[in-house]
Amino acid sequence: VDLAVDLCGLRMPTPVMTASGCAAAGRELDQFFDVTSIGAVVTKSIMRSPRSGRPTPRMVETPSGMLNSIGLQGPGIDAFLARDLPWLVQRGARAFVSIAGETADEYVELARRVGQAPGVAGIEVNISCPNVENRGMVFACDPDSSYRVLSEVRPHIPDDIPVFAKLTPDVTDITIVAGAAADAGADGVTVINTLLGIAMDPDTLRPRLGGVTGGLSGPAVRPVAVRAVWQIRRALPDLPIIGVGGIRTGFDALEMVLAGAAAVQVGTVIFHDPSAPVRVADELRDELAVRGFASLDEVRGLAHV
Ligand code: RRO
């Protein structure tokens, strides 16, 4: 079974990528597996300036999934371009760079600088981080704001670099937001970011996260993610979709592909099983083989037929 995929011109040996936020810029992952062997490494969303993030604790496990309120902690674009991205590119990995801004102008500046950096395989425009002080900053909650950010960003990125908009499931109709991003020039969408939640501490009887709210990830959100992929595939059959949310196994990945995903990302499971991106691809190959399929093209969107 051949797992190779062409994602908007980007040739990947497997459809399995890392999800943004789980592996910084990939260096830590390289001790667990060869980062050049997976589809792509998606880097932690980078902002213009260094940021310390939200109050601790900011990652908790609940019986229903993981909650994080990292709050866009990171080194800022200068250090990222000087140190982190060059490592990933020189290593030979396909580097998918996630960018996040507080204003459309910030996204434009980040897009321009990342678009000029050598070796960038793709850009994910994260307009859906739930851990910001002002919900108005979650551009993906509103189709017009999504359109604005993507339409301003797209002209500053070379045409041969695919641009994906990362969307939130916290909307009434995600297909409207996906359509706005596509109309604005996004080559595809990545769905889903984490789902906003709160968990209480049984001792303090107060929220467990220092920042109160956090993004829910892991298996609990997988059906939400599959639903988002399904709906977007229905509404916009030609728009490339990256499916992400709670994937732990090869069958979980197959489920996303059946719903219409061209590629998938694994996130939370990496914290328990750092080489999961390789294992999930191996298991996906087996899932296809036992069912008599020879390629992903035969199963992408099959559940709609
Ligand atoms: O940094 C974060 O807190 C974070 C981001 Br940018 C995001 O997009 N999704 C998430 O769950 N956490």
Side-chain angles (χ1 to χ4, degrees):
V1 176
D2 185 10
L3 286 187
V5 291
D6 182 317
L7 189 67
C8 307
L10 175 64
R11 295 284 305 167
M12 307 196 299
T14 88
V16 183
M17 318 163 72
T18 60
S20 180
C22 302
R27 203 188 295 240
E28 295 80 0
L29 281 186
D30 207 43
Q31 59 190 310
F32 299 103
F33 64 90
D34 175 2
V35 292
T36 69
S37 69
I38 64 170
V41 173
V42 186
T43 58
K44 165 78 183 161
S45 295
I46 195 74
M47 298 195 78
R48 192 155 66 179
S49 305
R51 253 170 103 98
S52 50
R54 299 192 84 184
T56 58
R58 48 194 189 187
M59 268 176 81
V60 299
E61 298 268 11
T62 82
S64 315
M66 198 180 89
L67 280 176
N68 87 81
S69 60
I70 306 298
L72 284 150
Q73 182 194 19
I77 189 68
D78 292 343
F80 176 80
L81 291 178
R83 181 190 74 193
D84 299 335
L85 181 62
W87 181 86
L88 200 52
V89 170
Q90 276 156 31
R91 182 72 184 77
R94 282 157 293 281
F96 230 87
V97 177
S98 173
I99 58 173
E102 292 187 19
T103 63
D105 285 348
E106 269 186 52
Y107 279 99
V108 167
E109 185 190 331
L110 290 162
R112 192 175 46 74
R113 295 189 60 189
V114 172
Q116 285 169 357
V120 172
I123 294 182
E124 202 169 77
V125 182
N126 183 5
I127 51 174
S128 52
C129 175
N131 298 323
V132 290
E133 298 307 326
N134 172 4
R135 294 295 295 169
M137 262 179 65
V138 187
F139 298 97
C141 285
D142 173 54
D144 293 340
S145 303
S146 302
Y147 182 90
R148 199 166 130 245
V149 173
L150 270 299
S151 63
E152 291 195 22
V153 151
R154 183 65 261 203
H156 298 274
I157 300 170
D159 288 341
D160 59 344
I161 298 181
V163 175
F164 277 70
K166 177 101 176 241
L167 305 186
T168 176
D170 279 321
V171 288
T172 306
D173 187 346
I174 199 168
T175 69
I176 304 290
V177 185
D183 288 346
D187 298 289
V189 292
T190 306
V191 289
I192 56 174
N193 207 318
T194 53
L195 193 58
L196 200 67
I198 293 178
M200 299 298 177
D201 185 308
D203 296 320
T204 66
L205 308 182
R206 299 293 184 281
R208 291 177 64 190
L209 288 166
V212 181
T213 56
L216 181 69
S217 64
V221 305
R222 202 172 63 244
V224 177
V226 174
R227 177 271 295 173
V229 171
W230 174 279
Q231 290 180 321
I232 294 169
R233 172 76 174 199
R234 271 273 136 124
L236 305 158
D238 298 323
L239 185 68
I241 306 165
I242 301 174
V244 50
I247 294 173
R248 280 184 304 189
T249 69
F251 182 77
D252 298 342
L254 177 57
E255 203 177 16
M256 290 286 193
V257 175
L258 291 169
V264 299
Q265 296 175 351
V266 298
T268 305
V269 69
I270 290 179
F271 293 107
H272 303 106
D273 175 11
S275 57
V278 173
R279 177 181 54 75
V280 168
D282 289 343
E283 291 175 2
L284 175 59
R285 203 175 280 112
D286 294 343
E287 295 285 356
L288 293 176
V290 296
R291 290 172 176 83
F293 295 112
S295 76
L296 283 168
D297 291 339
E298 297 169 32
V299 286
R300 191 175 313 109
L302 183 67
H304 293 268
V305 180

